[in-house]
Amino acid sequence: PGRSRAVLIAAECDTKTGMSSFPPPGRPSQAGHSIPPQSLPPGGAARYPVAFIGMGSMGAPMATNIAKKGFPLSVWNRTHEKTSALLSLGAKQKSTPRECVQGAKVVVTMLSDEKALFDVLCREDGVLDGLENDAVVVDMSTIGRSAAVKAGEFVRQRGGKFLDAPVSGSVGPASSGELVALVGGRLNDVSRAQPVLLAMCKRIIHVGDVGQGQALKVILNGIGAHLISAYTSMIVLGERLGIPR
């Protein structure tokens, strides 16, 4: 406990052994818990009710993949028109976030920023007003570490569980179900949300406690930003040296 360790959760089985790349039995997780691989449900097997909030360019295809896996799905978005394509897949459009999450075992949010998340959580008829006891809220937005920790406290105060799970990948991988989820939270809660996460993601990386998924997302974005900066700097250098672009 307290050490920074990334744990790769079974997005795919090892083709040689047939075993998932989860910690072996008896090996403690970062939070001091141990879950044998065989105790984890295979992706999509446990089709419990799911709520999805946020039908933006990333959220809509992610929710579509959940619906295609056969999960009973309720959806909400500020503009209801963006949920229309999901209705043909069996999803139920709800009028408020509160109504959307009632009865859901896993609630997924994919919103533009911290302000949008807290509005959906805390507004009148918001998520916290309708959240089931012990439901797992999985926020997949990119909101920063401190916001994730704060959101996690709000959810826990209402009797729920919270995971921050920002994703690596853009609209293409979101459509094909090949995102990578960077997850912070209790390992037991990750295993409960695993079938839903695997409907959207090819890989789940458990980074540590709540907020650590957001921390890793910042690091990965920083690496990308520095690569772009180096690339453009070298283009300018090459031009100054007389090399055609």
Side-chain angles (χ1 to χ4, degrees), residues 5-14 17-43 163 183 185-195 197-198 203-207:
R5 182 169 64 86
V7 179
L8 176 64
I9 292 180
E12 299 171 344
C13 286
D14 186 278
T17 65
M19 294 292 290
S20 68
S21 49
F22 209 74
R27 180 179 178 183
S29 74
Q30 183 173 0
H33 299 283
S34 177
I35 303 177
Q38 59 266 28
S39 72
L40 292 170
L163 301 173
V183 185
R186 288 173 54 89
L187 197 57
N188 287 346
D189 300 332
V190 180
S191 69
R192 289 176 57 199
Q194 185 199 25
L197 288 169
L198 291 181
R203 180 173 295 178
I204 305 166
I205 300 176
H206 180 237
V207 191

Side-chain angles (χ1 to χ4, degrees), residues 47-67:
R47 292 183 174 86
Y48 39 64
V50 177
F52 200 108
I53 293 175
M55 297 292 124
S57 58
M58 293 288 289
M62 291 164 67
T64 297
N65 285 327
I66 293 174

